[in-house]
Every structure is written in C-alpha cells, then in structure tokens.
Amino acid sequence: MKALVYHGPGERAWEDVSDAVIEEPTDVVVRIDSSTICGTDLHILKGDVPEVRPGTILGHEAVGTVVEKGAGVSTLEVGDRVLVSCITSCGRCRFCKERRYGLCTGGGGWIFGHLINGLQAEYARVPFADTSVYKIPDELSDEQVLFLADILPTAYEVGVLGGRVEPGDTVAIVGAGPIGLAAVLTARLYSPAHIVAIDLDGSRLARAHDFGADVTVDNGNGSAIETVAALTGGLGADVAIEAVGVPETFELCTELIRPGGRVANVGVHGHPATLHLETLWIRDVTITTGLVDTFTTPQLMKLIAEGRLDPTPFATHRFPLGETMSAYDTFADAAATHALKVVLEAEPTAHGPVPADEELVGAGC
Ligand SMILES: [Zn+2]
Ligand SMILES: [Zn+2]
C-alpha cells in the first residue's frame, strides 16, 4: 500500500510501505476513503514534535471503511463506514471513564501520525476500534463528517465549552484559521450576542464573516481591544478564545476579557507566553487549556445530520489520495492558496458526493 511517510524534519514522501494489518484483537483495518491534513502535521514536518519518529505515516483525521476486524471487536462489521478521529480511547482507563479520552493512559489519546502510523494512507490499522471510531449514517457524505475528526470537536470542546459560552455573550475569537473558524461555527450554537473575529489577514476575516462572525477586526493597527470595548460598554468580552498559539495572541485574549470573563486557549503553543497575573488576579479571570477529548463527536454528528451544522465550507481544495504531496504544498502555502482544509480522496466509492454547485480547486479537479 502507499502512504505519506515522515522522514525527519522537512522530509516527506508518498511511497510504498508495509500493509496495515491486525496486531491486537481490538483492532480493525480500514480502507481510507477521505483524509485531510492538519496544521499539526506541518509542525511535525518542522521538527517541532520530536516524539514522531522518522518512518511514521502522518495523518490523524479520516473517514474509512472497515475491511478487516480483530476477534475482539464486537460492535463493527466489515463494510461499516466510520469516522476515524484524532483521539483514540482505550475505554478502560480512569480518564476514558471520565470521557477525557485525550488524556487516555491505556494506549489511546492522540496516537495516529504521532506515536503510531497515521491515516494519510490507503489503509490504516485502528486500535481500540469499538471505543474509538464512529459509525457514519448512510445519508451523510464523507465531507460532511470528515472535519469531525479534529477541528470541530477541538474548537467546540476546548474553545466554546471550555470558555462556557452563553446566550447573549460577546465572544472574541483570536485567529481565523480552521480552528478559529470552527470556533465561530460552534459558538453560534449558543446564540451569543456578538462573535468578534480577530486576525491580521483580510481574506481569513472575510471567511470568518461567512462562517457567522458579525464583527471582524484586522488587528494590524491594534484596534481589537477598542472594538470589543465599544461593543460591551467598555467592559470587554465575556469569552475570549485563543486559536493561534503564539504568545502575543494569548496575551491579547487576557486583555480583551471582561472582569469575571473566561479565556479559553485552543492554540498549540511552542513558546512560553507571559501570564500577567499582576493585572489579572484582581479581575476574577478564568483561563482554561486543553487537548480535545472528542466526547462531543456524536452530538456534533447529530447536528450535521439534522441540518443544524454544516462544516463542508472548510473543504477548499480536493486532491486524489495519490497526490497527497501536492496537497501538502497547497496546504502549507495557505497565505497564497487560501486553503482551509484540503480533502484527500481515494478512488470514488458509493459515498461522498460533492455538491455540484461548489467551485472545485486543486490538482484533482
Ligand atoms: Zn489535527
Ligand atoms: Zn483510556
């Protein structure tokens, strides 16, 4: 089979690898029907995630079809269409019993394309299948559910639920990349009074408006604090969601927040950020952090099935799976290509129709 293999910082190749096989009775092997690339994969390629060993297949987001199952798998059958999530759950450890699957100590957590071979491949071995994959209703296309593998639950759980967004709140979202936009989309589920998207890139801010932000701020001139203050009688945002992962944007969130407000950090940080306790301590500000647990995935899938949530606008580019190398180039150059998520598609199956009225961009089209 073929897969996208990491060969150390800056080195990747689409190449022949050993077939994915059942190793434990709780495994399944899936044929990958659709996969996608994450900002985290780019971090790995920069060498920022040293625990990823050269030789590892990348990718942690996919929709696939079960082609083989271990003797211990009881809830899945060959032929089932499943969402394979960025988070795996052993189902038995203390944290899995608390639905905090991201912290799994029984061999799960974020393992695909990290500690074990990932999902940017023709086939993949999926451990703890009974407790980790989600069956997909027939009426939903691959593309409708693919982004449930990471960005939707990440933004919803770590941002919107972490920040305890409530009806009528003013929510400031710093960063309008895929995660920030997913926070815009899922914050709307709570009917906030205002969603303020803050970024430095005009095209991303235009997207944020399309996704449901009613106010957008290009903070190139530092006007975010003033804009949020004007919307809130001078108090500041009820909730600030950090969706970039650099010190400046975290510190901006702590300046945007009202007394008693909540800062939810979603961004993945590579450097220390300053925590200004000298000004925050007296303002009763709550700060939350976290890795996604994906406990909301079934809830989000139901909202998609009922037409209450539509993540398909994240798919800006599509490539055949065999052109994953080009897809990486497009995704990595998002400033020029305006890519949000690139969809890697295996040979067409009976599922996953692409809406006919959408503009298709990319090498596959
Ligand atoms: Zn990811
Ligand atoms: Zn566990």
Side-chain angles (χ1 to χ4, degrees):
M1 66 174 215
K2 292 214 183 273
L4 193 285
V5 181
Y6 171 69
H7 287 293
E11 303 291 328
R12 57 175 153 86
W14 177 257
E15 63 189 23
D16 285 309
V17 296
S18 315
D19 285 346
V21 293
I22 302 282
E23 292 177 19
E24 300 288 339
T26 46
D27 292 348
V28 296
V29 172
V30 300
R31 171 195 192 265
I32 301 296
D33 298 321
S34 295
S35 185
T36 181
I37 305 172
C38 178
T40 305
D41 298 321
L42 302 183
H43 278 294
I44 293 169
L45 278 163
K46 280 190 199 142
D48 292 346
V49 191
E51 59 269 30
V52 180
R53 293 186 313 270
T56 303
I57 298 170
L58 295 186
H60 50 261
E61 308 172 46
V63 171
T65 304
V66 177
V67 293
E68 202 184 340
K69 65 175 215 170
V73 175
S74 58
T75 63
L76 297 164
E77 296 301 334
V78 169
D80 281 350
R81 220 167 127 246
V82 293
L83 173 75
V84 187
S85 165
C86 62
I87 298 295
T88 297
S89 163
C90 81
R92 303 163 63 132
C93 74
R94 173 229 168 123
F95 292 116
C96 284
K97 286 179 176 171
E98 294 175 359
R99 300 198 311 169
R100 302 180 73 178
Y101 313 124
L103 295 177
C104 177
T105 56
W110 172 37
I111 56 173
F112 287 120
H114 180 206
L115 307 179
I116 68 168
N117 279 333
L119 308 175
Q120 290 158 7
E122 291 178 326
Y123 293 88
R125 169 190 164 240
V126 178
F128 303 114
D130 276 326
T131 45
S132 299
V133 306
Y134 304 85
K135 284 194 214 179
I136 301 173
D138 284 342
E139 66 271 23
L140 294 181
S141 69
D142 289 2
E143 222 166 271
Q144 280 179 289
V145 295
L146 179 59
F147 308 124
L148 290 181
D150 186 346
I151 60 169
L152 262 291
T154 295
Y156 182 53
E157 293 175 15
V158 187
V160 175
L161 299 184
R164 301 201 314 271
V165 173
E166 292 183 11
D169 276 354
T170 293
V171 182
I173 297 173
V174 179
I179 290 285
L181 295 174
V184 170
L185 199 61
T186 52
R188 285 168 58 193
L189 296 168
Y190 285 83
S191 300
H194 296 291
I195 298 177
V196 185
I198 299 161
D199 201 290
L200 300 172
D201 180 317
S203 75
R204 290 194 163 203
L205 288 169
R207 285 256 173 70
H209 184 264
D210 296 342
F211 275 79
D214 58 300
V215 180
T216 59
V217 183
D218 183 335
N219 201 38
N221 57 9
S223 59
I225 293 170
E226 199 180 300
T227 304
V228 170
L231 288 171
T232 54
L235 280 180
D238 300 287
V239 179
I241 296 176
E242 200 285 336
V244 181
V246 299
E248 294 75 16
T249 48
F250 173 75
E251 290 164 34
L252 174 61
C253 285
T254 64
E255 292 172 315
L256 288 167
I257 203 70
R258 69 162 165 84
R262 287 91 64 192
V263 173
N265 183 85
V266 192
V268 177
H269 290 262
H271 298 283
T274 303
L275 181 61
H276 287 285
L277 277 177
E278 75 281 11
T279 54
L280 289 168
W281 75 273
I282 203 167
R283 304 179 72 232
D284 295 13
V285 169
T286 300
I287 298 172
T288 58
T289 66
L291 169 67
V292 66
D293 291 309
T294 67
F295 70 91
T296 63
T297 301
Q299 181 185 25
L300 294 168
M301 196 179 298
K302 200 191 309 174
L303 287 165
I304 294 169
E306 299 295 339
R308 307 290 294 181
L309 187 68
D310 178 15
T312 56
F314 283 105
T316 53
H317 297 70
R318 299 177 183 85
F319 292 84
L321 196 52
E323 291 176 27
T324 298
M325 289 294 280
S326 308
Y328 262 89
D329 294 336
T330 296
F331 184 66
D333 195 18
T337 62
H338 303 302
L340 289 179
K341 292 294 272 184
V342 299
V343 179
L344 307 168
E345 299 174 316
E347 291 299 307
T349 63
H351 298 288
V354 171
D357 59 347
E358 250 178 271
E359 190 179 317
L360 303 184
V361 193
C365 306

